[in-house]
């Protein structure tokens, strides 16, 4: 199949794979997320040239290199700013952002709040391993306070960031959690997130087998489908998320906020485009 084949043609996950072999450690959860992403794109039948994957820096942020879509491996913590600009200039593209808990919630935390608030039509996938994997295992904003490591002996003692609560409070339109070991579940969440207009946030628990070897088995044993169906009521979602055990999987909130209106600046004639920037 060529890249220019029209929408509606049948796609398989292989159509979204690049020739670059992932350098992730064997067993890293991000391998599963990549497979789920490729399956989701095939299910959505999106032509690869109509997808742009944007990332920051981190093991998880290597994602765009492993796909056959357009990609932008950007600056640490700035993926949402890049993706927002891209989506506003090219609303015809499906813009998906791949990030990690350090990239997305630490250095990129401010962008996370405002991306939720703006509600531009983006899908934001954060591979949360509760650690800075790429830089060899420092605690991240989602690390448990008592996680004992040579860098933080006895644990940091600092209350973790709750990204789903923050996303809801900041205005995200779709909030979900998945586990990289559950491929059908992750695939479904990515499909639903792309289909839901506005800013869609998915926390994908994705174990770092190298610096947190206990994580994979713990999540395998402990994650479970959320016992209640998704809600569109922010008050109910807030109550549920505030008491959430961090292990509930599925779509947890789907709202109906108006999406930030975009228009295709890229297609404007040059003189019209210039007027956009006139002081
Ligand atoms: C401006 C800047 N500050 C710090 C770094 C160093 N750095 C690279 S990746 C990273 C953290 C990555 O953690 P995360 O986003 O959780 O990704 P993971 O590797 O765990 O997938 C840091 C601090 C950097 N590259 N750029
Ligand atoms: S260091 Fe951890 S997060 Fe990075 S590739 Fe290896 S297992 Fe994955
Ligand atoms: Mg991480």
């Amino acid at each position: 199949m060529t890249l220019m084949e029209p929408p509606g043609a049948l796609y398989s996950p292989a159509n979204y794979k690049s020739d670059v072999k992932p350098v992730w450690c064997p067993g890293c959860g991000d391998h599963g997320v990549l497979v789920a992403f490729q399956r989701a794109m095939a299910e959505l039948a999106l032509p690869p040239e109509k997808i742009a994957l944007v990332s920051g820096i981190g093991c998880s942020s290597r994602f765009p290199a492993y796909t056959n879509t357009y990609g932008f491996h950007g600056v640490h913590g700035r993926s949402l700013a890049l993706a927002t600009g891209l989506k506003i200039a090219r609303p015809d593209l499906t813009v998906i952002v791949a990030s990690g808990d350090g990239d997305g919630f630490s250095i990129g935390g401010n962008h996370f709040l405002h991306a939720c608030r703006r509600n531009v039509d983006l899908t934001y996938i954060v591979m949360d391993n509760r650690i800075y994997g790429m830089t060899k295992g420092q605690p991240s904003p989602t690390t448990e306070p008592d996680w004992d490591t040579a860098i933080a002996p006895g644990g940091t003692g600092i209350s973790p960031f709750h990204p789903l609560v923050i996303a809801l409070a900041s205005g995200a339109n779709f909030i979900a959690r998945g586990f990289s070991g559950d491929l059908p579940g992750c695939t479904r969440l990515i499909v639903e997130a792309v289909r839901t207009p506005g800013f869609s946030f998915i926390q994908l628990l994705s174990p770092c087998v190298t610096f947190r070897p206990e994580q994979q088995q713990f999540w395998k044993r402990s994650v479970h489908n959320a016992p209640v169906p998704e809600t569109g009521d922010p008050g109910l979602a807030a109550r549920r998320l505030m008491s959430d055990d961090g292990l509930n999987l599925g779509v947890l909130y789907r709202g109906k906020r108006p999406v930030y209106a975009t228009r295709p600046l890229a297609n404007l004639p040059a003189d019209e485009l210039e007027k956009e920037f006139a002081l």
Side-chain angles (χ1 to χ4, degrees), residues 152-192:
T156 61
I158 302 171
S159 222
F161 186 83
H162 195 326
L164 286 77
V165 170
I166 307 276
L168 181 73
S170 309
N173 212 33
F174 174 99
I175 298 171
R177 183 187 290 117
F179 169 51
S180 61
D182 167 22
L183 288 186
C186 287
T187 306
R188 185 179 66 85
L189 293 182
I190 297 171
V191 167
E192 289 295 313

Side-chain angles (χ1 to χ4, degrees), residues 20-26 28 31 59 62 66 134:
V20 182
K21 195 174 169 327
V23 295
W24 291 317
C25 309
C28 175
H31 290 284
C59 295
R62 291 183 183 276
Y66 306 141
M134 178 171 264

Side-chain angles (χ1 to χ4, degrees), residues 23-30 59-60 129 131-134 206-212:
V23 295
W24 291 317
C25 309
C28 175
D30 298 353
C59 295
S60 36
N129 50 16
I131 199 171
Y132 290 3
M134 178 171 264
S206 178
C208 172
V209 292
T210 298
F211 295 108
R212 299 214 50 178

Side-chain angles (χ1 to χ4, degrees), residues 70-219:
Y70 283 111
F72 195 117
H73 191 179
V75 183
H76 192 37
R78 300 293 178 263
S79 56
L80 285 173
L82 285 163
T84 300
L86 176 59
K87 182 67 186 179
I88 287 171
R90 288 289 307 271
D92 57 309
L93 296 179
T94 297
V95 181
I96 300 176
V97 187
S99 184
D101 42 309
D103 187 73
F105 308 145
S106 195
I107 192 169
N110 182 39
H111 293 287
F112 179 45
L113 305 184
H114 295 286
C116 294
R117 182 173 72 86
R118 290 188 185 109
N119 206 27
V120 173
D121 188 18
L122 299 170
T123 293
Y124 187 40
I125 302 171
V126 176
M127 283 154 267
D128 190 350
N129 50 16
R130 301 188 182 167
I131 199 171
Y132 290 3
M134 178 171 264
T135 48
K136 303 204 180 307
Q138 299 85 356
S140 84
T142 51
T143 304
E144 303 81 341
D146 58 351
W147 186 67
D148 199 2
T149 169
I151 288 176
T156 61
I158 302 171
S159 222
F161 186 83
H162 195 326
L164 286 77
V165 170
I166 307 276
L168 181 73
S170 309
N173 212 33
F174 174 99
I175 298 171
R177 183 187 290 117
F179 169 51
S180 61
D182 167 22
L183 288 186
C186 287
T187 306
R188 185 179 66 85
L189 293 182
I190 297 171
V191 167
E192 289 295 313
V194 171
R195 281 190 179 144
T196 306
F199 187 78
S200 297
F201 168 56
I202 315 176
Q203 178 192 42
L204 285 184
L205 305 175
S206 178
C208 172
V209 292
T210 298
F211 295 108
R212 299 214 50 178
E214 78 288 0
Q215 227 169 25
Q216 193 179 39
Q217 286 310 317
F218 171 70
W219 277 335

